[in-house]
Amino acid sequence: MAESASPAAPVAPTPPTVGQPDPLLACLLVVARAHGRTNSAEGVTAGLPLVDGRLTPSLLERAARRCGLSSRIVRQPLHALRAELLPAILLLDGRDACVLLERRDDGTCRVVYPELDDAPVDVPVQALQARYSGRAVYLRPRQQFEARAGVVSKGRDGHWFWSVIADNARLYRDVLLAAFLTNLFAVAMPLFVMNVYDRVVPNQAFDTLWVLALGVLVVLLGDMVLRMLRVRLSTWPAAAPTCACRR
């Protein structure tokens, strides 16, 4: 009599793979948020040679730069950390880390652990000192200059007034040229009136009158444009000596 086959035991489903926690990265993001920076973990670590999928202290400077922060790893005891540079990242034993927010006079430290980065906790200094590896990371926002700020050229050495004139020689040249042409165009109207009375009216040369009128109109339009350009060009050269005196 054949033995009946025993039913196969049900196979337990494979649990999903959970990403390995990265305490140092979590602490970096906490400090970045404290300084008003909003960055994602993927954007901070993209392209970095992570070790076992985790951020290392040697890579922290590059990751902090992506958050707009300047970082420096120091080897100092817990009581010697500068209060004005907090929050700072404390490197703990076992590749762990936390964020030190402040040291209190009652013998406790306010810290943030990466497991719950939105909930600061108070830890006794002795308990924190027992896990502290002796290394901390200062992080501060990097200095950023506005793109609107222009490049200030270095002035020439010499007289306070004539050196400014020499620096703006091209602008003064354009202003003088515009003034010369404006005065030259001012002669057009008397010449137009003289030719009308001397040649057009006695000879009834109306074709000549239209040509002269068209020419005078072009001269008047050019004179108006040159006057506007002269005003705009003379604004900066006129103010340049005053600005140089105030330096």
Side-chain angles (χ1 to χ4, degrees), residues 2 23 62 67 77 88 124 139 148 162-163 175 180 189 203 212 233:
R62 297 170 59 183
C67 298
L139 297 120
R148 297 178 299 173
W162 295 114
S163 61
V175 172
F180 172 77
M189 187 58 68
N203 300 320
L212 290 176
L233 289 175

Side-chain angles (χ1 to χ4, degrees), residues 138-149:
Y138 291 131
L139 297 120
R140 301 298 296 175
R142 296 170 60 108
Q143 179 67 37
Q144 296 180 352
F145 298 94
E146 294 186 4
R148 297 178 299 173

Side-chain angles (χ1 to χ4, degrees), residues 110-239:
R110 195 164 183 82
V111 300
V112 173
Y113 288 108
E115 290 81 4
L116 195 59
D117 53 10
D118 292 330
V121 296
D122 296 333
V123 179
V125 175
Q126 294 80 5
L128 188 60
Q129 184 68 48
R131 300 187 57 195
Y132 181 48
S133 65
R135 292 188 301 167
V137 184
Y138 291 131
L139 297 120
R140 301 298 296 175
R142 296 170 60 108
Q143 179 67 37
Q144 296 180 352
F145 298 94
E146 294 186 4
R148 297 178 299 173
V151 178
V152 181
S153 59
K154 184 180 180 181
R156 298 184 180 182
D157 298 331
H159 195 269
W160 65 269
F161 179 78
W162 295 114
S163 61
V164 177
I165 299 299
D167 290 337
N168 300 275
R170 293 184 178 181
L171 290 177
Y172 286 111
R173 179 200 61 191
D174 297 339
V175 172
L176 292 176
L177 180 60
F180 172 77
L181 293 177
T182 300
N183 294 327
L184 184 63
F185 290 164
V187 186
M189 187 58 68
L191 291 176
F192 172 75
V193 175
M194 183 181 63
N195 280 279
V196 168
Y197 279 105
D198 292 347
R199 294 175 181 170
V200 175
V201 174
N203 300 320
Q204 300 294 315
F206 295 106
D207 293 338
T208 305
L209 177 62
W210 285 110
V211 173
L212 290 176
L214 182 60
V216 170
L217 180 62
V218 172
V219 170
L220 291 178
L221 290 176
D223 179 69
M224 181 182 66
V225 173
L226 285 176
R227 288 178 184 273
M228 295 173 62
L229 288 176
R230 186 179 64 179
V231 172
R232 293 183 64 89
L233 289 175
S234 60
T235 301
W236 165 245

Side-chain angles (χ1 to χ4, degrees), residues 38-121:
T38 55
N39 301 89
S40 63
E42 293 78 10
V44 173
T45 59
L48 295 180
L50 304 179
V51 179
D52 297 332
R54 301 174 63 176
L55 191 66
T56 60
S58 60
L59 298 174
L60 185 60
E61 182 180 0
R62 297 170 59 183
R65 191 180 299 114
R66 297 182 179 183
C67 298
L69 301 175
S70 178
S71 64
R72 183 180 180 183
I73 300 178
V74 296
R75 190 176 290 274
Q76 290 179 341
L78 192 59
H79 63 85
L81 295 177
R82 300 174 65 92
E84 58 271 18
L85 295 180
L86 300 181
I89 299 177
L90 302 182
L91 302 181
L92 307 179
D93 296 334
R95 300 181 63 182
D96 203 356
C98 68
V99 178
L100 176 62
L101 300 179
E102 61 176 328
R103 293 193 310 266
R104 296 182 174 180
D105 297 334
D106 58 356
T108 61
C109 294
R110 195 164 183 82
V111 300
V112 173
Y113 288 108
E115 290 81 4
L116 195 59
D117 53 10
D118 292 330
V121 296

